[in-house]
Each structure stands twice: as structure tokens, then as C-alpha cells.
Amino acid sequence: MKILFILLVIFSAQSQAGNGWTGYGKITELNQQPGTGADVVIVANLPNNPTTCTVKSNFLLDVSTDRDKRTFSLLLSAFMAGKEVRLYVTDECPVWDTPKVTGVYIK
């Protein structure tokens, strides 16, 4: 029974391993790729990126809702002020195997 409990804890932790907060770091570049998509690419060297996406220094923000627009405003403010950010990323990896951003802290 103990072994079953330990395995359950290990596998449930691994299934959550791809989503979570990065460490703090500075954004080095923001860019909007050409085309019709609403995706903004955030380039930053952030420690402790928890995703399993292969790209670890680029992050994708889909700016299509009001919430996404507020998140982009926060990121742009941090970039312009040279502040450190911490991003909540998911394992969706929708474009170029890049993690998707769904939350932000500014320090």
C-alpha cells in the first residue's frame, strides 16, 4: 500500500511538471511576428522554466482577449522600465514549441 501511495504522488507531480512559474529575469526583446496571428513573442532568460517545451528562452503570449491585453501592458511596462518579471507558463507549446504565457509578476 505504501508503494502505491508513493507512486501516485510521483506520477501526479510529474503530470503537473510542465505548468508553473519561472524564476525572475529581464525581458530582452518583445516582437510581433508578421502575419495574421495575435501572438507576441517575449524573449527573456528566466531561470527555472518548468515547461517541457524545447524552446526555453522565448515565450508566447496570445493577445486576443482583454485579459491578454492587460498582461501585454504589464510586460511592456516591465520591459521599458528594465524591471524583472516572472511568468506563468503552460506546456501548450502552440508555435515553434514555445511555452505559452498566462500570468506575470513584476518585481
Side-chain angles (χ1 to χ4, degrees), residues 12-32:
S12 65
Q14 285 180 344
S15 68
Q16 297 289 326
N19 300 331
W21 290 100
T22 65
Y24 279 98
K26 290 188 178 182
I27 297 171
T28 58
E29 180 181 317
L30 292 171
N31 70 69
Q32 174 73 60

Side-chain angles (χ1 to χ4, degrees), residues 65-80:
T65 68
D66 285 343
R67 183 181 189 285
D68 298 331
K69 291 173 186 175
R70 286 191 308 271
T71 301
F72 178 69
S73 287
L74 287 167
L75 291 167
L76 184 58
S77 298
F79 178 62
M80 296 302 292

